[in-house]
Amino acid sequence: MHSRKSSRAQLSLATARAFALAAGFTSLAAAQGVPAPAAPMTVNLPSQPLRQALDKLARQANLQIAYPEGLVAGKLAPAVSGQFTVKQTLDRLLAGSGLVATVEGTSVTVKEAPAASEATLPTVKVSATSTAPSELPKAHAGQQVAKGARLGALGNLSVMDTPFNITSYTAELIEDQQARTVADVLVNDPSVRFTTSNGHMYENFRVRGFDVNASELAINGMFGLAPVGHSPVEFVERVEVLKGPSALFSGMAPGGGIGGVINLVPKRAANDPLTEVSLGYQSKGQLGGTVDVGHRFGDAKQWGVRVNGAYSDGDTELDGQSKKREFLSTAFDYQGESLTASLDAYHSKESFEGGTPAMFWFSTPSIPEAPDPRINQFRTGYGELKSDAVIGRAEYEFNRHLSAFVGAGFRNYDYSGFINGTHARQINAVGNYTGMMVGQLGSSDSVSSEAGIRGRFGTGGVQHELVLHATNLKQEDSSNTTSSSFTSNIYRPVTPVMVALPTTAPKTGESTLSSWALVDTMSFMGEAVRLTLGLRDQEVDTTSYNTAGAVTGKYDEHAVTPSVAVVVKPWGAGVSLYANYVQGLSKGDSVTDAAATNYQQVFAPYKTEQKELGAKWSVRGFSNTASLFEITKPTLVALGTSTRPTYTDEGEKRVRGIEWNTFGEVVPHVRLLGGATYTQGVLTKTAYNRNNGKVAVGAPRWQGNLGAEWDLPWIQGFTLSGRVFASTSQYLDAANTQEIPGWSQYDFGARYTTRVGGRKLAVHLNVANLFDRHYYSGSFSDSTPIATLGAPRTVSATVSMSF
């Protein structure tokens, strides 16, 4: 874990990288904003290949280091740790290598020691970024978010070099806030809201007014491999949110990913050995623990293993419900001079009994008051979700101009029970409803893969990073359901008799999402201007089956989506202005209305468009992003008459908005994280033109989050935290007759970190929904008037120790 007392200069490091064709000397140029070479600095470089050590030093100390490529190949640099000047650091790195370094200002030349041959190779300058495409970006000041994130096929980029609104939440934030799932992390993001009631078995999201489902999370940019349901974060180093469509960079998400992409970056073993154990409690009676073990091996610590485990069991805040969760992951990685590779495997299982949360479906404009979320509407419900996956990745750098990468993974997902479809339907003004229960049995197998080649070269004064990228995701689904109904009241529920589960689950569908893309990022004027151009060709092939195995639907269409984005730094590395035009993709619909004039017509994939302008600026460890965006999504609508309609894909939902994100240290020991979003969601063209101009479902005008942390100056290691998030009112139906009121929630936390017997000890206490407000938190669907319910007051405490 990075110390929050590390220098602001290091945390505000701005970066740039391009490659030029040549042989001989290599020059590593880093960015500005760090101490002068003559000043002592904090150095913490592990033993590693010499070329990597010089590369990291160049980035950290704002140097341009030139060296003979052939002379450093195969050499190992020793570990260097402490307070040293640049020259002292270089002397230690080069000790015993037969090489020496001369320092002139920020320019460094590495060559053979005088006693050796004076023969030299031709000098060619090649610049290097502070973050290589496969290198994890460092944390920003405050440690809550990172200074960069993964942009699909382009790899990891600095936030200031990324022409999108992107936020990467760190493992430090996950630990400090004691987050257990992805949803616990994304409560920090003002552009994200949730579309399932708290405690539901699935965590679905809405980003920029468009849905992102639990099955659409990516791992290292690949879809179809993340745990389904509650995605645990014990094995996660970063949770990244890229706002807006991103088909160009990662291919099409299974559900389209219109509002954005949520990417998970698995943990890797750090240079220092780690063993951490924690015990936790959550009201009303959840007890559990976690373990995190990491170690590196080899003469240069090139081999690493990281193991994470979690287990919890007990009663929850939902009256009468108990939950059990078990999770285990193992990550192996290799970090060589030219080759980096990893293998991740995990097992995730969650089960519950004694009830499940409801979704609230209204039949009247008179919305009854939100019930206490502890009330159990389906107290005889039970269910289980299980995900198992194996994921492998590798990247090989042939030279500084050409590299290749490949990834592949398999995930099996099994589910059974009343895991969704538990609706309180047709709720009237006094809370009476018809309950619907759906018993489910099924599974889904996913095979995901990607491959690409990345080239770096120069043409005149322009540096290029050209990426050719291919993806493939194949999924096969099996499922079966049973259902029944009952009558009840949301304030005084009955105890329903749940329907029996299916005994078999036949194959119901298979799909293949395949694509290739060509992306060129061009840098001008010393990387003051970065222009990205790209095209992706996406094919969507799906087949549906009935329970007898007969084909009931066939879909095979493709589309080409272009994208263009630009970043300009007119006043140096501290300010970036950006703009983008990107297209996303989602599966086109089929006409299933037998009365339609175009019955069984299959539409090509929908092209979603985003236009965005934004600015990013960073001042002394405190950063902001402001963006203005418009996203339009085609929809299937009926025109003509209701008895003989004609369906077209010319319907449209449009969301325009302004976003502001902020993070970092405003003053020493005080950190802020959050922002606000203003949106105008409009249904521009609807079925029979009935709701044209109406406000889009689930699109509040305002929503915002703001969290703060304060390290108390008079108690070392003690931190207080607080967070408020709120949304204004929103509509549940397209006709704008059903509206739920705005809401706000306040959270509080405290933690204390000390050392006992030389070991780190941390104690955390968190209270969510401090004032125990009962409220409808949002909407579930654009097509049905379903509201979700916020969480009750929840208290959690954790004690952890590192060995």
Side-chain angles (χ1 to χ4, degrees), residues 530-584:
R530 291 170 58 91
L531 175 64
T532 300
L533 302 174
L535 286 172
R536 183 173 292 274
D537 186 295
Q538 179 80 54
E539 183 175 3
V540 184
D541 185 358
T542 65
T543 305
S544 301
Y545 304 90
N546 62 19
T547 55
V551 175
T552 58
K554 177 70 176 175
Y555 183 102
D556 189 357
E557 295 285 348
H558 82 97
V560 177
T561 55
S563 298
V564 58
V566 63
V567 174
V568 180
K569 301 177 182 177
W571 303 292
V575 177
S576 291
L577 307 179
Y578 72 92
N580 65 66
Y581 171 80
V582 296
Q583 290 187 352

Side-chain angles (χ1 to χ4, degrees), residues 109-264:
T109 301
V110 177
K111 59 184 179 181
E112 288 182 314
S117 171
E118 296 296 327
T120 59
L121 298 173
T123 300
V124 174
K125 289 188 176 182
V126 183
S127 61
T129 63
S130 63
T131 302
S134 60
E135 183 181 344
L136 195 65
K138 294 178 173 60
H140 188 276
Q143 309 297 302
Q144 296 178 313
V145 301
K147 298 170 69 175
R150 183 182 180 89
L151 197 64
L154 302 190
N156 291 305
L157 291 178
S158 162
V159 167
M160 302 301 283
D161 289 336
T162 303
F164 297 89
N165 188 330
I166 191 167
T167 307
S168 177
Y169 298 98
T170 64
E172 286 84 354
L173 176 138
I174 292 172
E175 179 180 353
D176 289 344
Q177 297 186 358
Q178 291 299 283
R180 292 172 173 82
T181 69
V182 170
D184 293 338
V185 177
L186 296 186
V187 295
N188 295 285
D189 201 296
S191 301
V192 179
R193 289 295 183 262
F194 309 107
T195 59
T196 48
S197 293
N198 180 265
H200 195 278
M201 288 298 283
Y202 289 99
E203 292 180 337
N204 297 328
F205 311 93
R206 182 166 289 133
V207 184
R208 285 189 170 178
F210 294 91
D211 292 339
V212 177
N213 295 325
S215 60
E216 296 185 279
L217 273 63
I219 291 185
N220 275 334
M222 292 195 296
F223 295 109
L225 300 175
V228 182
H230 292 126
S231 290
V233 291
E234 284 87 1
F235 76 119
V236 172
E237 184 70 30
R238 302 278 164 85
V239 177
E240 302 174 335
V241 184
L242 171 63
K243 283 92 170 181
S246 61
L248 175 67
F249 306 111
S250 301
M252 174 181 156
I258 306 303
V261 170
I262 300 169
N263 182 55
L264 309 181

Side-chain angles (χ1 to χ4, degrees), residues 404-619:
F405 57 93
V406 63
F410 170 79
R411 183 198 68 196
N412 170 255
Y413 164 57
D414 294 313
Y415 58 92
S416 64
F418 301 89
I419 56 176
N420 58 26
T422 47
H423 295 165
R425 297 188 175 189
Q426 303 301 309
I427 303 172
N428 64 20
V430 296
N432 294 325
Y433 69 86
T434 298
M436 172 61 69
M437 63 187 78
V438 180
Q440 301 176 55
L441 179 67
S443 65
S444 178
D445 290 336
S446 300
V447 178
S448 184
S449 60
E450 70 167 351
I453 298 175
R454 184 179 290 110
R456 309 164 187 86
F457 58 92
T459 56
V462 180
Q463 299 297 319
H464 297 262
E465 182 163 332
L466 190 66
V467 179
L468 180 64
H469 183 234
T471 69
N472 187 272
L473 172 60
K474 184 175 180 62
Q475 294 183 304
E476 183 174 301
D477 300 312
S478 300
S479 65
N480 203 353
T481 62
T482 55
S483 63
S484 64
S485 61
F486 60 94
T487 58
S488 189
N489 182 277
I490 61 174
Y491 308 114
R492 300 173 301 278
V494 302
T495 300
V497 177
M498 307 305 281
V499 66
L501 296 183
T503 56
T504 60
K507 180 179 178 179
T508 53
E510 59 184 9
S511 65
T512 301
L513 307 179
S514 56
S515 72
W516 66 267
L518 185 65
V519 187
D520 187 13
T521 299
M522 293 166 279
S523 302
F524 309 84
M525 302 170 61
E527 299 221 351
V529 178
R530 291 170 58 91
L531 175 64
T532 300
L533 302 174
L535 286 172
R536 183 173 292 274
D537 186 295
Q538 179 80 54
E539 183 175 3
V540 184
D541 185 358
T542 65
T543 305
S544 301
Y545 304 90
N546 62 19
T547 55
V551 175
T552 58
K554 177 70 176 175
Y555 183 102
D556 189 357
E557 295 285 348
H558 82 97
V560 177
T561 55
S563 298
V564 58
V566 63
V567 174
V568 180
K569 301 177 182 177
W571 303 292
V575 177
S576 291
L577 307 179
Y578 72 92
N580 65 66
Y581 171 80
V582 296
Q583 290 187 352
L585 287 173
S586 57
K587 180 177 175 290
D589 289 314
S590 302
V591 179
T592 58
D593 185 352
T597 60
N598 54 343
Y599 175 53
Q600 292 186 332
Q601 178 179 347
V602 178
F603 291 89
Y606 294 145
K607 293 184 179 181
T608 302
E609 294 184 330
Q610 174 176 276
K611 304 167 187 174
E612 182 177 7
L613 294 171
K616 304 175 184 179
W617 63 98
S618 182
V619 180

Side-chain angles (χ1 to χ4, degrees), residues 257-288:
I258 306 303
V261 170
I262 300 169
N263 182 55
L264 309 181
V265 180
K267 289 179 178 177
R268 297 288 177 252
N271 289 317
D272 295 328
L274 169 70
T275 300
E276 183 174 276
V277 177
S278 69
L279 298 175
Y281 167 85
Q282 181 173 299
S283 57
K284 292 180 179 181
Q286 275 276 315
L287 295 174

